[in-house]
Amino acid sequence: MAYEATKDQLEAFQKEHDYLKSKLELGKEILWLTQEECIKAGPDVAETLGLIHKAMEAHGKKRYEMPAKIGIHPYEDVFYHAMPAYVPDSLACGVKWIECYPRNPKDFGLPQTTGLLILNDIMTGIPVAVMDSAWITAMRTPALTSLAAAALHPDAKTFGMFGCGVQGTGHVRYIVKALKELEKIYIYDVRSENMDRLIQEVEGEVSVPIVKAASPEELVANCEVMSSATIILRDPLKVVKKEWVRKGQTIIPCDLNTFWDPEICRMADKYIVDSKEEHKLFEGMGYFPDGLAPITCETGEVIAGVHPGRTDREELIVCSNIGISVCDMVMGQAIFARALEQGIGRILPL
Ligand SMILES: NC(=O)c1ccc[n+]([C@@H]2O[C@H](COP(=O)([O-])OP(=O)(O)OC[C@H]3O[C@@H](n4cnc5c(N)ncnc54)[C@H](O)[C@@H]3O)[C@@H](O)[C@H]2O)c1
């Protein structure tokens, strides 16, 4: 779906183009930002929540262009995704190229998720920046879960996280900023040392008590809102059984439902997704092997207030967020703008 820019947006593109020309020789130079430089220039947790809110509002109000991601799959359960997006309200336009190799940590001592992000000048299409995208992904994903949690279950006192790696740690950091009445966080990971590392990493930053669940069932029994970021597989692991889940809970997976019995989506009173198009594309690729449950609406529509989201305390809600590029581009543009302003990064010949 193409998006036609308004007169105000066209004026903003021109202004941005003029600004970029004052900083870079367009067409001959780009700004290169390492992960460390992204972090240095980057927004903190509260600012990221604001940026992702803006991105999801644009998505919910259909003020964007974002085709569903395309991918390549050299090995089973490995993927590379090309994720372009254009979000005119944020002057953001570009593409993320992201890889997910679930065996990397174990087999190579390397991260599961790595990638690059390219930004372009909307006025001319000229590439203006290339940056790491792993940190952006690590920030924007928990920000979206947390915004969805705040919209769907604002008074939750308990949150549970399956998977205590990069994403799990980020989720604990972000959720405490979004759910204001949170009293306890439960975490679970097959590797106990990863649970300990998560607790250590957020010490001093997260004052809500964190409990290591003895089993997935214990976590589900104790939590109103839950998320999962472990691994993504075509065949669901079905670790969480449908019998454990109850009315009134909110489940916000980041893993194409890999961790959950697929029946749970069908039992849900509302099944919300970040992008219908993306979910249908993944279904076509063999994920969601039992077929997608009927979709109620998109996460952005709930965040933008276009759809009411939860309308009854007793509703069981599943909100599946695969990860959408409007979030990446808005984050990338914010980092780029600050890096240019503060002289962070390296200008390289194009
Ligand atoms: N939806 C999105 O936008 C989005 C974005 C980024 C990553 N992800 C997905 O999130 C997942 C985690 O990413 P990450 O960067 O945090 O990886 P990571 O390797 O840093 O962490 C994964 C954690 O899950 C644990 N784990 C693996 N299998 C488990 C199981 N069966 N039960 C319990 N714990 C288990 C591992 O021990 C590890 O601690 C990946 O599948 C990734 O593709 C989704």
Side-chain angles (χ1 to χ4, degrees), residues 83-280:
M83 301 170 62
Y86 159 56
V87 190
D89 291 336
S90 298
L91 300 171
C93 173
V95 63
K96 182 168 88 163
W97 178 235
I98 190 108
E99 304 83 57
C100 183
Y101 272 62
R103 289 180 299 277
N104 265 3
K106 197 162 152 274
D107 294 354
F108 299 99
L110 288 169
Q112 177 169 192
T113 310
T114 53
L116 289 173
L117 188 146
I118 301 172
L119 289 175
N120 300 72
D121 169 33
I122 303 177
M123 198 73 201
T124 61
I126 300 287
V128 288
V130 179
M131 65 187 78
D132 163 72
S133 70
W135 184 73
I136 291 173
T137 306
M139 296 284 281
R140 63 73 151 144
T141 310
L144 179 52
T145 301
S146 302
L147 290 169
L152 294 167
H153 211 135
D155 58 353
K157 297 193 167 40
T158 46
F159 172 75
M161 186 71 216
F162 290 114
C164 299
V166 174
Q167 287 297 336
T169 308
H171 273 70
V172 169
R173 275 203 176 102
Y174 274 82
I175 203 73
V176 292
K177 297 276 193 273
L179 294 179
K180 304 289 183 199
E181 294 181 31
L182 212 55
E183 289 174 2
K184 211 178 258 187
I185 296 172
Y186 287 79
I187 56 172
Y188 178 79
D189 197 291
V190 274
R191 298 177 69 171
S192 179
E193 67 272 25
N194 290 6
M195 292 197 262
D196 294 332
R197 192 181 56 204
L198 182 155
I199 292 171
Q200 215 176 357
E201 276 189 32
V202 302
E203 208 190 339
E205 217 181 307
V206 173
S207 55
V208 175
I210 302 175
V211 178
K212 292 199 282 177
S215 67
E217 190 172 1
E218 185 189 288
L219 188 149
V220 178
N222 282 288
C223 295
E224 292 160 280
V225 178
M226 292 167 278
S227 184
S228 54
T230 56
I231 50 171
I232 292 179
L233 301 171
R234 278 201 181 80
D235 287 322
L237 290 172
K238 301 185 188 175
V239 174
V240 178
K241 310 293 173 227
K242 64 177 195 290
E243 298 77 25
W244 302 349
V245 169
R246 59 183 185 276
K247 287 278 181 194
Q249 287 180 314
T250 305
I251 301 170
I252 315 178
C254 305
D255 58 1
L256 304 176
N257 286 20
T258 300
F259 210 73
W260 311 78
D261 181 337
E263 270 303 300
I264 295 169
C265 296
R266 290 179 205 292
M267 284 160 51
D269 298 289
K270 288 188 174 128
Y271 181 52
I272 301 169
V273 301
D274 54 356
S275 161
K276 289 181 188 169
E277 226 184 327
E278 302 267 8
H279 277 71
K280 286 179 184 153

Side-chain angles (χ1 to χ4, degrees), residues 34-43 135 335:
T34 63
Q35 183 169 123
E36 213 169 285
E37 288 159 350
C38 286
I39 296 170
K40 194 165 164 203
W135 184 73
I335 292 170

